[in-house]
Amino acid sequence: MNKTVIYYTCNTHKPEIDELARRYLSRIDLPIISVSLNKKIDFGDTRIVMQGTRSHLMMHKQIVKGLEKCKTKYAFLAESDVLYHSSHFDFMPTRDDVFY
């Protein structure tokens, strides 16, 4: 398996939105690294909690932390308030020198 999902959350959305997004992601057959802000969540194969204040900078730090833990060649970034169709993760990069 060459792909991993990096799921990041600030834990400030309505719980039903986060839960629905996680339900969609749990249907795909890829490892998931969750990076949660200030709160432990029960989601993902690898679970990371970071302390800090919600901001664009913190979001990028969460993404970097997830990428540092990623063991696969490719990573998909998944936000906690977006519903991703499973076909979204079918994409396979044709070049390794391009950020998609």
Side-chain angles (χ1 to χ4, degrees):
M1 192 170 303
N2 279 337
K3 304 174 194 175
T4 296
V5 176
I6 310 294
Y7 169 85
Y8 53 97
T9 180
C10 59
N11 291 307
T12 59
H13 307 295
K14 291 183 179 180
E16 52 271 12
I17 293 173
D18 287 340
E19 291 165 11
L20 185 59
R22 291 177 198 156
R23 199 170 329 133
Y24 269 66
L25 289 173
S26 65
R27 295 177 185 163
I28 62 169
D29 188 27
L30 292 175
I32 297 172
I33 298 171
S34 68
V35 188
S36 176
L37 187 60
N38 300 323
K39 178 180 166 187
K40 184 177 181 179
I41 60 171
D42 185 22
F43 184 70
D45 303 294
T46 301
R47 300 168 186 175
I48 302 166
V49 177
M50 295 181 67
Q51 299 300 314
T53 303
R54 181 177 181 246
S55 68
H56 288 102
L57 177 60
M58 181 53 73
M59 179 184 71
H60 287 92
K61 287 181 179 183
Q62 288 176 264
I63 291 168
V64 169
K65 183 63 78 175
L67 290 170
E68 288 172 349
K69 293 289 183 183
C70 185
K71 305 271 191 254
T72 57
K73 187 171 184 177
Y74 304 110
F76 287 88
L77 303 180
E79 297 186 39
S80 62
D81 60 346
V82 176
L83 301 180
Y84 297 92
H85 189 271
S86 60
S87 65
H88 177 80
F89 304 97
D90 292 339
F91 175 74
M92 186 59 117
T94 56
R95 295 177 51 180
D96 288 341
D97 62 340
V98 175
F99 179 82
Y100 294 89

